[in-house]
Amino acid sequence: DPRFHLLAAAFTANAFVFSAMSVHILAMMVAKGFSATQAAALGALFGPMQVLGRLSEMSVGQRLAPTNVGAIALALLPASILLFVFAGDSTWSFIIFAVLYGAGNGVMTIVRGTVPVELYGRDHYGAVNGAMAAPVLIAKAFGPLAAAVAWTVLQDYDTVALLLAAVAFSALVFFGWAVKRRRTQ
């Protein structure tokens, strides 16, 4: 089923980017001129923002189809990374980055469980999620290493972040194709 491959590619690309950013974000912030303490304080916002994202999904997301919530969550990652790259020296921009980045990831944990049900039904939920688990886990493990290699070659975290934003955007595109295929079939 092409929808499965597109959905798996979307979730895998998203996991790759989130994992890479999560490991490198403190160094990226220090490269932007933040002290290690400031970077850690901004990084500490991610967890609460994940919870806020999940709470928002539980209240507002109930009125939207899981695929619509998924599109929003997937769009937050490249948007947050672009904000991070182009924020300049505005601390508020970095706080908004942390809100979008954390909330998007928090909602994605729900999306990865609800979208397969919407696309394939409850009877196939276990098989679909099980088949998607391996590439997602591999991407989570490989993402930080790939970002480290990219930084070693490029010596510029903004360029690495832009590459990661492109991968995150591809996740949104793959997801859109998967959902569109469902609607046209």
Side-chain angles (χ1 to χ4, degrees), residues 83-101:
L83 179 60
F84 175 83
V85 171
F86 298 111
D89 61 357
S90 167
T91 302
W92 280 107
S93 293
F94 288 99
I95 291 171
I96 294 169
F97 154 74
V99 169
L100 296 177
Y101 179 80

Side-chain angles (χ1 to χ4, degrees), residues 19-46:
S19 178
M21 286 292 293
S22 293
V23 169
H24 289 273
I25 195 62
L26 295 181
M28 290 172 140
M29 287 185 188
V30 168
K32 289 272 190 198
F34 288 97
S35 70
T37 302
Q38 292 168 322
L42 286 169
L45 291 175
F46 297 156

